[in-house]
Coordinates of all heavy atoms in Angstrom, one line a residue:
F1228 N 32.9 7.1 -1.1 CA 33.4 5.6 -1.3 C 32.7 4.7 -0.2 O 32.7 3.5 -0.3 CB 34.9 5.6 -1.2 CG 35.5 6.2 -2.4 CD1 36.3 7.2 -2.4 CD2 35.2 5.4 -3.6 CE1 36.9 7.7 -3.5 CE2 35.9 5.9 -4.8 CZ 36.7 7.0 -4.7
D1229 N 32.3 5.3 0.9 CA 31.6 4.5 1.9 C 30.3 4.0 1.6 O 29.6 3.2 2.2 CB 31.6 5.2 3.3 CG 33.0 5.2 3.9 OD1 33.8 4.4 3.6 OD2 33.2 6.1 4.8
L1230 N 29.7 4.7 0.6 CA 28.2 4.3 0.2 C 28.3 2.9 -0.5 O 29.2 2.6 -1.1 CB 27.6 5.4 -0.8 CG 27.5 6.8 -0.1 CD1 26.9 7.7 -1.2 CD2 26.5 6.7 1.0
P1231 N 27.1 2.2 -0.3 CA 27.2 0.8 -0.8 C 26.9 0.7 -2.3 O 26.2 -0.1 -2.7 CB 26.0 0.2 0.0 CG 25.1 1.3 0.2 CD 26.0 2.6 0.3
F1232 N 27.6 1.5 -3.1 CA 27.4 1.5 -4.6 C 28.0 0.1 -5.2 O 27.4 -0.5 -6.0 CB 28.1 2.6 -5.3 CG 27.3 3.9 -5.1 CD1 28.0 5.0 -4.4 CD2 26.1 4.1 -5.5 CE1 27.3 6.2 -4.3 CE2 25.3 5.2 -5.5 CZ 25.9 6.2 -4.8
R1233 N 29.3 -0.2 -4.6 CA 30.0 -1.3 -5.2 C 29.3 -2.6 -5.0 O 29.5 -3.6 -5.8 CB 31.5 -1.4 -4.6 CG 32.3 -0.2 -5.0 CD 33.5 -0.2 -4.3 NE 33.4 0.2 -2.9 CZ 34.3 0.2 -2.0 NH1 35.5 0.0 -2.4 NH2 34.1 0.6 -0.8
E1234 N 28.6 -2.8 -4.0 CA 27.9 -4.0 -3.8 C 26.5 -4.2 -4.4 O 25.9 -5.3 -4.4 CB 27.5 -4.2 -2.2 CG 28.8 -4.3 -1.4 CD 29.4 -3.0 -1.2 OE1 29.0 -2.0 -1.5 OE2 30.6 -3.1 -0.5
G1235 N 26.2 -3.1 -5.3 CA 25.0 -3.3 -6.1 C 23.7 -2.9 -5.3 O 22.6 -3.0 -5.8
Y1236 N 23.9 -2.4 -4.1 CA 22.8 -2.1 -3.3 C 21.9 -0.9 -3.9 O 20.7 -1.2 -4.1 CB 23.2 -1.6 -1.9 CG 22.1 -1.2 -1.0 CD1 21.3 -2.0 -0.5 CD2 22.1 0.3 -0.6 CE1 20.2 -1.5 0.4 CE2 21.2 0.7 0.3 CZ 20.2 -0.1 0.8 OH 19.3 0.3 1.7
V1237 N 22.5 0.2 -4.2 CA 21.8 1.3 -4.8 C 21.2 0.9 -6.1 O 20.0 1.1 -6.4 CB 22.7 2.5 -5.0 CG1 21.9 3.6 -5.7 CG2 23.1 3.0 -3.6
R1238 N 21.9 0.3 -7.0 CA 21.5 -0.2 -8.2 C 20.3 -1.1 -8.1 O 19.2 -1.0 -9.0 CB 22.5 -0.9 -9.0 CG 22.2 -1.3 -10.5 CD 23.3 -1.7 -11.3 NE 23.9 -2.9 -10.7 CZ 25.2 -2.9 -10.0 NH1 25.8 -1.8 -10.0 NH2 25.7 -4.0 -9.6
S1239 N 20.2 -2.0 -7.1 CA 19.1 -3.0 -7.0 C 17.8 -2.2 -6.5 O 16.7 -2.5 -6.9 CB 19.6 -4.0 -6.1 OG 19.7 -3.7 -4.7
I1240 N 18.0 -1.3 -5.7 CA 16.8 -0.6 -5.2 C 16.2 0.4 -6.2 O 15.1 0.5 -6.3 CB 17.0 0.1 -3.9 CG1 18.0 1.2 -3.9 CG2 17.4 -0.8 -2.7 CD1 18.2 2.0 -2.7
I1241 N 17.1 0.9 -7.0 CA 16.7 1.7 -8.2 C 15.8 0.8 -9.1 O 14.8 1.2 -9.6 CB 17.8 2.4 -8.9 CG1 18.4 3.5 -8.0 CG2 17.2 3.0 -10.2 CD1 19.5 4.1 -8.7
F1242 N 16.3 -0.5 -9.5 CA 15.6 -1.3 -10.3 C 14.3 -1.7 -9.8 O 13.3 -1.6 -10.5 CB 16.5 -2.5 -10.6 CG 15.9 -3.6 -11.3 CD1 15.7 -3.5 -12.8 CD2 15.2 -4.7 -10.7 CE1 15.0 -4.5 -13.5 CE2 14.6 -5.7 -11.4 CZ 14.4 -5.6 -12.8
V1243 N 14.2 -2.0 -8.5 CA 13.0 -2.5 -7.9 C 12.0 -1.3 -7.9 O 10.8 -1.5 -8.2 CB 13.2 -2.9 -6.4 CG1 11.8 -3.2 -5.8 CG2 14.0 -4.2 -6.5
S1244 N 12.4 0.0 -7.6 CA 11.5 1.1 -7.6 C 11.0 1.4 -9.0 O 9.8 1.5 -9.1 CB 12.4 2.4 -7.1 OG 12.7 2.2 -5.8
L1245 N 11.8 1.3 -10.0 CA 11.4 1.5 -11.3 C 10.4 0.4 -11.8 O 9.4 0.7 -12.5 CB 12.5 1.8 -12.3 CG 13.3 3.1 -12.1 CD1 14.5 3.1 -13.1 CD2 12.4 4.3 -12.4
Y1246 N 10.8 -0.8 -11.6 CA 10.1 -1.9 -12.0 C 8.6 -1.9 -11.5 O 7.7 -2.0 -12.2 CB 10.7 -3.2 -11.7 CG 9.9 -4.5 -11.8 CD1 9.6 -5.0 -13.1 CD2 9.4 -5.1 -10.6 CE1 8.8 -6.1 -13.2 CE2 8.5 -6.3 -10.8 CZ 8.3 -6.8 -12.1 OH 7.5 -7.9 -12.3
V1247 N 8.6 -1.8 -10.1 CA 7.2 -1.7 -9.5 C 6.4 -0.6 -10.0 O 5.2 -0.6 -10.3 CB 7.4 -1.6 -8.0 CG1 6.1 -1.5 -7.2 CG2 8.0 -3.0 -7.4
S1248 N 7.0 0.7 -10.0 CA 6.2 1.9 -10.4 C 5.8 1.9 -11.9 O 4.7 2.2 -12.2 CB 7.0 3.1 -10.0 OG 7.3 3.2 -8.7
V1249 N 6.7 1.5 -12.8 CA 6.4 1.6 -14.2 C 5.3 0.5 -14.5 O 4.4 0.8 -15.2 CB 7.7 1.3 -15.0 CG1 7.3 1.0 -16.4 CG2 8.6 2.5 -14.9
V1250 N 5.4 -0.7 -13.9 CA 4.4 -1.7 -14.2 C 3.1 -1.3 -13.6 O 1.9 -1.4 -14.3 CB 4.8 -3.1 -13.6 CG1 3.8 -4.1 -13.7 CG2 6.1 -3.6 -14.4
A1251 N 3.1 -0.8 -12.4 CA 1.9 -0.4 -11.8 C 1.2 0.8 -12.6 O -0.1 0.7 -12.7 CB 2.1 0.1 -10.3
V1252 N 1.9 1.7 -12.9 CA 1.4 2.8 -13.7 C 0.9 2.5 -15.1 O -0.1 3.0 -15.7 CB 2.4 4.0 -13.8 CG1 1.9 5.1 -14.7 CG2 2.7 4.6 -12.4
T1253 N 1.6 1.5 -15.7 CA 1.2 1.1 -17.0 C -0.1 0.3 -16.9 O -1.1 0.6 -17.7 CB 2.3 0.0 -17.6 OG1 3.6 0.8 -17.8 CG2 1.8 -0.5 -18.9
L1254 N -0.3 -0.6 -16.0 CA -1.5 -1.3 -15.7 C -2.7 -0.3 -15.3 O -3.8 -0.5 -15.9 CB -1.4 -2.3 -14.6 CG -0.4 -3.5 -15.0 CD1 -0.3 -4.5 -13.8 CD2 -0.9 -4.3 -16.2
S1255 N -2.3 0.6 -14.6 CA -3.4 1.6 -14.2 C -3.8 2.5 -15.4 O -4.9 2.8 -15.5 CB -2.8 2.6 -13.1 OG -3.7 3.5 -12.7
T1256 N -2.8 3.0 -16.2 CA -3.2 3.6 -17.4 C -4.1 2.9 -18.3 O -5.1 3.3 -18.8 CB -1.9 4.0 -18.2 OG1 -1.1 4.8 -17.4 CG2 -2.2 4.8 -19.5
L1257 N -3.8 1.5 -18.6 CA -4.7 0.7 -19.4 C -6.1 0.6 -18.8 O -7.0 0.4 -19.5 CB -4.0 -0.7 -19.6 CG -2.7 -0.7 -20.2 CD1 -2.1 -2.2 -20.2 CD2 -2.8 -0.2 -21.7
F1258 N -6.2 0.7 -17.5 CA -7.5 0.6 -16.8 C -8.1 1.9 -16.8 O -9.3 2.1 -17.1 CB -7.4 0.0 -15.4 CG -8.7 0.1 -14.6 CD1 -9.7 -0.9 -14.8 CD2 -8.8 1.1 -13.7 CE1 -10.8 -0.9 -14.1 CE2 -10.0 1.1 -13.0 CZ -11.0 0.1 -13.1
S1259 N -7.3 3.0 -16.4 CA -8.0 4.3 -16.1 C -8.5 5.0 -17.3 O -9.5 5.7 -17.3 CB -6.9 5.2 -15.3 OG -6.6 4.5 -14.1
V1260 N -7.6 5.0 -18.4 CA -8.0 5.8 -19.6 C -9.3 5.3 -20.3 O -10.2 6.2 -20.5 CB -6.8 5.8 -20.6 CG1 -7.3 6.6 -21.8 CG2 -5.6 6.6 -20.0
P1261 N -9.6 4.0 -20.4 CA -10.8 3.6 -20.9 C -12.0 4.0 -20.0 O -13.1 4.3 -20.4 CB -10.7 2.0 -21.0 CG -9.2 1.9 -21.2 CD -8.5 2.9 -20.4
V1262 N -11.7 3.9 -18.7 CA -12.8 4.3 -17.7 C -13.1 5.8 -17.9 O -14.3 6.2 -17.9 CB -12.4 3.9 -16.3 CG1 -13.4 4.7 -15.3 CG2 -12.3 2.5 -16.0
A1263 N -12.1 6.6 -18.1 CA -12.3 8.1 -18.2 C -12.9 8.4 -19.5 O -13.9 9.2 -19.6 CB -10.9 8.8 -18.2
V1264 N -12.6 7.7 -20.6 CA -13.3 7.8 -21.9 C -14.8 7.5 -21.8 O -15.7 8.3 -22.2 CB -12.6 7.0 -22.9 CG1 -13.4 7.0 -24.3 CG2 -11.2 7.5 -23.2
A1265 N -15.1 6.3 -21.1 CA -16.4 5.8 -21.0 C -17.3 6.9 -20.2 O -18.4 7.2 -20.6 CB -16.5 4.5 -20.3
M1266 N -16.6 7.4 -19.1 CA -17.3 8.3 -18.3 C -17.5 9.7 -18.9 O -18.5 10.5 -18.8 CB -16.7 8.6 -16.9 CG -16.7 7.4 -16.0 SD -16.0 7.6 -14.5 CE -16.9 9.0 -13.7
G1267 N -16.5 10.1 -19.8 CA -16.6 11.3 -20.5 C -17.6 11.4 -21.6 O -18.0 12.5 -22.1

Side-chain angles (χ1 to χ4, degrees):
F1228 286 120
D1229 284 342
L1230 295 177
F1232 287 118
R1233 290 171 294 178
E1234 291 79 6
Y1236 173 69
V1237 174
R1238 185 170 60 251
S1239 67
I1240 62 177
I1241 292 174
F1242 173 78
V1243 171
S1244 296
L1245 288 176
Y1246 168 72
V1247 170
S1248 297
V1249 169
V1250 173
V1252 171
T1253 299
L1254 294 176
S1255 179
T1256 300
L1257 294 176
F1258 173 82
S1259 300
V1260 174
V1262 170
V1264 171
M1266 292 183 64

